Amino acid sequence: AARMAMDPSQMPQGAAGLQALKFNMVAMSKLFSSMSQSCFKKCVSRFGQPDLAVGEATCTDRCTLKFIAAAQMVTEEMQKAQEMEMQQMQVETYGYTGWAPFS
């Protein structure tokens, strides 16, 4: 299962950390809203019944799982790209990546 929650020990500190946390909360809210609208539009076809039909419930479950998995994959790729960018900046600034063996 995709893990979207942040470990409290990994939470950023200070004003920049608070700003990052707010940004993440807004992003998660937008993701949830987009997922809800998309999956509802795709999966729900009957509006006269108070409960979802079995097919609608199954479709909704699959849709939300795929949406969350896709969001997790995008997040991981963005983190990798950001790490690579940071390493490149370090090379450009200091001429090394910090992983050179001691001589």
Side-chain angles (χ1 to χ4, degrees):
R3 183 169 175 239
M4 301 297 279
M6 183 181 282
D7 182 347
S9 67
Q10 295 176 339
M11 291 181 71
Q13 303 295 317
L18 183 57
Q19 185 178 9
L21 191 58
K22 286 180 182 179
F23 177 82
N24 287 338
M25 289 176 63
V26 168
M28 288 301 294
S29 178
K30 287 180 180 180
L31 173 69
F32 181 78
S33 178
S34 178
M35 178 183 64
S36 297
Q37 290 175 8
S38 178
C39 292
F40 182 85
K41 195 180 293 185
K42 177 181 178 188
C43 298
V44 179
S45 59
R46 302 173 344 151
F47 299 100
Q49 302 297 320
D51 297 324
L52 294 175
V54 173
E56 292 172 328
T58 301
C59 178
T60 303
D61 287 344
R62 288 181 181 158
C63 182
T64 55
L65 287 173
K66 286 181 181 180
F67 216 97
I68 291 170
Q72 183 67 30
M73 287 172 54
V74 168
T75 300
E76 289 170 4
E77 289 301 316
M78 288 177 64
Q79 286 175 342
K80 287 179 189 176
Q82 189 175 32
E83 288 171 8
M84 289 176 62
E85 185 177 326
M86 294 287 284
Q87 286 179 351
Q88 183 62 36
M89 287 174 60
Q90 190 174 19
V91 168
E92 291 171 1
T93 303
Y94 301 110
Y96 66 94
T97 61
W99 295 103
F102 293 104
S103 350

